[in-house]
Structure formats: structure tokens, C-alpha cells
Amino acid sequence: MEIRIALLPGDGIGPEIITEAVKVLDRVAARFGHRIIYTRALVGAAAIDATGDPYPEETHRICQASDAVLFGAIGDPKYDNDPTSKVRPEQGLLRMRKSLGLFANLRPVSLFEALTDRSPLRPEVVRGTDFICVRELTGGIYFGRPQGRDEGGRRAFDTCTYTVEEIDRVLQVAFRLAMTRRRRLTVVDKANVLETSRLWRERAQLMAAQYPEVTVEYMFVDNAAMQIIRQPTHFDVIVTENMFGDILTDEASVISGSLGMLSSASVGAEVALFEPIHGSYPQAAGRNIANPMATILSAAMLLEHLGLEAEGRAVREAVNTALAAGVVTEDLVREGGRSYSTSEVGDYVAAHVWAPLFGRSTSEQPNVRTVRV
Ligand code: IPM
Ligand code: MG
């Protein structure tokens, strides 16, 4: 199969982790007989430096002309320390999500067996964790207007808005995903305070009638933040609005032992985008120490999204082999163990990508499936 992938390395450690994911994808292509055509494009601070725009038109065209987008990270401290700066790298990410119509962000959270002791939570709490957070990605307070300042700059305001259409389409992704899994859906909101949350709950209750096999529960976000840590195995599919999803998934990442392990898929209108959930980690940029696993696992999601399940599984198995062998970056290293560089981890994972010897293996279903919408 011929696959066109837009590569958007972005800022900080982005270029390094994308390099490792490409290494692994190239090995998949060689082993399984695919041809992958990459097109690189600028986004974030890197794009501002080159063009003045964090999401140039050229980048948008390249994404639209691809089968999938693999994205690294965005953000540069030189903009964080200047709150008056009119153009920010993050605007590129938000504009990219919006203009590509990527309204649902799927963030799987599972425990990697070999990392059980790396989680700050007790093994008996985290063992068996396997849930997906469906985060709404193009609405809510991230995009609501008005936003700004008045009273001579002494008052600031943001607005959270959601339409029925915006809520329904992401709920539908979540319900359909739940149907492919353990059929349990947790709708997370703040319906005791927020009007947008009350509309979410109303729409979820309506849609639940169409999915009688799915057990739906409603949970306030503050309680959800506690339950994710107290009993992560309780969850199967969580669906929530943009900012709650942003916060809860950073929290959930500690279950797996490192923020450097969590991958994500953003789906919506046409082309889908795959990215690690972590940021650009500027302190590590150029030092060959960042964990490339989240990006490599995002590449696995990309393959699965294109229907290449065996290929995605081969990548996951190679990642598990590396974890079991202790070939990990410093964020995951055990006391007395040695840490490996970003590129050494990528080399090791790529070298352990194997195609099934006899046709396609059907023995095991991947625990992560994305939904086409
Ligand atoms: C994420 C990030 C982004 C977000 C930032 C960089 C704008 O935290 O993808 O989770 O808040 O969506
Ligand atoms: Mg975030």
C-alpha cells in the first residue's frame, strides 16, 4: 500500500521524536511491503521563525493532501515569557485542529506490563488499566468568543460555548468507540455549575437511547479527577469537553509511568492527525534524551487507523519488547539501571518490528482502535 504522511515535527524535542517514529515506520514499510511518502511541513515556533505564521497555508495544504499527519510538539519558552506577544506557537496547533476539522481527540491510557513499578500508584491500583479518553478538540473555552481584556487591561475574559452539533458529533465517536470495547461510557462534566455541561448531559442522555448496550454514567470533573487516580480500572471510555480532557489526560498519564508514553489520535472531517500528548520539553531539545515512545505509539495508531492492524500491532509488540528489555530513556530508568538515548530507543524498537511469518496474525486484538467518523 502507498501511504502519504505529512510530518510536522514542530518545536523543542519534536524533530527528534519524529525522527525515531519515522525510523520505525520505515521498518514497518520494509517488513510489510508498503511505500511511505513523507512530506515535511512547518508548524509552531519553527513556522513563526520561518514565515511569521504558526500554521502556514502551505502546511495546511500538505496536511489535506495526505492520508495522515504525524505531529511532534509545539511550544517555545521565548513566547511563554512574553504575554504581550501577538503570535504564539500554540495558535498554530489550535488553528490546525480547527481547520482540519479534528473535533475528537482519542487518548488511550493503559498500563504497560513492564512499567508497572514505574507508576507512582500502587501496582494493585494500576494493574489492568485500559481506558480511552475522548476529548472534544475544537470547541469550548479554547475557542469561544469573546475573549480578551477590557477596563484598560485590568479585566480578562474567556468564553465557553458549545452547540448541539459540536456535542453530538463527539458523543457519537465516544458511543461508537464504547461499542467496540467494554461498552461502558463515562460522561465527564460540571453540570452542577456550567450551562454548557448541562447541554452536554442533555444530549448524552438523548443519544444513550440509541445505544442501549452501552452503560452510561455521568461524573463531575472534580470527582473524575479523583476516581482516575483512585480506581483507574473503573473506566472504559471517557468523553468530555476540551479543557477538562486536556487536564484529565495529563493526570491520567502518570498511571502509565511517564507522560512520555501517551499517544493520541485526532479524528474528524477527513485527514486524521497523530501526536504524543506531551509537549515540546524545551529543556531536553537537541540533547537526545527525550522519550520517543509516545510518538512511536502514535505512529502505531496511525497505521491502525489506515486499516493496517497487523502493522500497528507489530509496532506495539516492538515497544513492549524494548520496555521489557529495559531499553528506555531516563524518565523510565530504574535505580541502578542505565538509560538509553532517544535514538538508541528508536533503533531498538525499529529493529524489533517483525511481520507475522504466516499471513496476518489474528490471535490478539489491539486494545486501541480508532473510530472513523
Ligand atoms: C495538548 C496541549 C495543547 C492543548 C497545548 C499545547 C495548546 O496541552 O495537546 O494537550 O492544551 O490542547
Ligand atoms: Mg495538554
Side-chain angles (χ1 to χ4, degrees), residues 8-11 41-60 71 73-76 78-79 87-89 91-93 95:
L8 275 57
D11 306 325
L42 289 166
V43 70
I48 299 177
D49 293 345
T51 70
D53 182 347
Y55 184 58
E57 187 51 44
E58 165 83 358
T59 300
H60 183 61
F71 169 72
I74 238 171
D76 187 313
K78 78 179 176 212
Y79 296 93
V87 52
R88 296 184 51 83
Q91 290 165 348
L93 181 59
R95 195 134 50 77

Side-chain angles (χ1 to χ4, degrees), residues 74 90 93-94 97 107 135 137 142 242 246 275 277:
I74 238 171
E90 289 80 2
L93 181 59
L94 300 191
R97 289 170 176 170
R107 298 188 161 184
R135 168 189 175 192
L137 204 57
Y142 273 52
N242 202 344
D246 178 46
E275 59 171 306
I277 86 153

Side-chain angles (χ1 to χ4, degrees), residues 47 79 95 98 102 104 132 164-165 184 214-216 221 248 258 268 272 306 323 326 332 373:
Y79 296 93
R95 195 134 50 77
K98 191 79 166 178
L102 302 169
I132 296 198
V164 161
E165 290 73 25
R184 184 176 186 88
V214 178
T215 307
V216 186
V221 63
L248 290 180
S258 170
L306 296 177
L323 297 177
L332 288 171
V373 288

Side-chain angles (χ1 to χ4, degrees), residues 13 16 281-290 330 341-342:
I13 57 169
E16 294 162 64
Y281 193 13
Q283 305 85 332
R287 292 174 55 204
N288 202 18
I289 57 168
E330 62 177 23
S341 67
T342 309

